[in-house]
Amino acid sequence: TYVDFWDAWAYSKAMNGKLPAEDEWLSTIEFCLNRQIASPRLETLREWTSTRQRKPSFPMGPQYPRVLNQLNGGAPTSFVENRSLRSSDLGFRLLFPPEPPSQP
């Protein structure tokens, strides 16, 4: 909580991970539902993702990060124009690349 997009992004790079994209989040939830296992819950009410979106009223402008919203069942919410936003209900999680198979 109280982590802006830049802090989340920098931490993910320092840990050799990445912020999940919306489709990665949603496919994980779908995978869990199809196999009847517990799906991941958002640790906070909203979480930063690596997915970007342009402001609909200014389609040639910059792309802004999107957040996932627990209140919407993990469905995407609108973009967040202020990447420096810090809020008690906004956090993040990391994805890490799969480890290579061990050699015998």
Side-chain angles (χ1 to χ4, degrees), residues 1-9 11 48 83-88 90-92:
T1 61
Y2 293 104
V3 177
D4 68 11
F5 175 79
W6 299 116
D7 289 342
W9 179 83
Y11 184 79
W48 292 108
R83 294 180 189 133
S84 297
L85 175 68
R86 293 175 187 264
S87 174
S88 63
L90 184 56
F92 72 102

Side-chain angles (χ1 to χ4, degrees), residues 51-88:
T51 303
R52 308 254 195 257
Q53 177 185 359
R54 294 187 194 281
K55 191 173 182 179
S57 61
F58 188 42
M60 298 304 291
Q63 294 184 350
Y64 297 102
R66 289 179 57 101
V67 296
L68 290 180
N69 183 353
Q70 182 176 357
L71 302 176
N72 245 354
T77 66
S78 63
F79 62 91
V80 176
E81 195 167 343
N82 181 1
R83 294 180 189 133
S84 297
L85 175 68
R86 293 175 187 264
S87 174
S88 63

